[in-house]
Amino acid sequence: FCPKARGPPCGLVNLNLKKDVNKVVDTVDIEDITEKAVFCRCWRSKNWPYCDGTHGTHNQATNDNVGPLVITKKKD
Ligand code: FES
C-alpha cells in the first residue's frame, strides 16, 4: 500500500472489474452506437465499460479530474 495512505496498492487502477481475467478488454461494435456512447475511464463504473457517473464521486473523494470518453456519431 502507498505509505501514509489508505486504499488500493500504489499504481492500481482497476479495483474490482473482471478480476478473474489477466487483462480487461472490451469490444463494442461501432455499428451498435446509434447517436452517442459514453465510456468509463475512471474504472469505477458499475455499468462497465460505460460511464454511470461514478467518476464524480471518485473525483470528489480524491481531488482527481477524470471523466468519460464520449463517442458521437458524425452528423451528415
Ligand atoms: Fe468512470 Fe464516468 S463512471 S468515467
Side-chain angles (χ1 to χ4, degrees):
F1 287 84
C2 295
K4 299 180 182 175
R6 288 186 184 175
C10 293
L12 188 64
V13 173
N14 181 9
L15 302 181
N16 54 22
L17 291 168
K18 300 182 180 182
K19 286 299 194 180
D20 58 327
V21 298
N22 289 334
K23 178 169 49 178
V24 178
V25 177
D26 298 286
T27 303
V28 175
D29 190 332
I30 199 162
E31 299 297 329
D32 291 339
I33 297 174
T34 52
E35 295 291 320
K36 178 171 85 171
V38 184
F39 293 94
C40 177
R41 294 193 300 180
C42 74
W43 289 80
R44 304 297 188 272
S45 176
K46 296 190 175 35
N47 190 32
W48 183 266
Y50 300 99
C51 171
D52 68 355
T54 302
H55 59 266
T57 304
H58 165 77
N59 286 344
Q60 248 183 342
T62 63
N63 200 28
D64 207 346
N65 66 347
V66 296
L69 166 67
V70 180
I71 296 181
T72 57
K73 187 173 183 176
K74 189 174 182 179
K75 295 188 169 69
D76 296 324

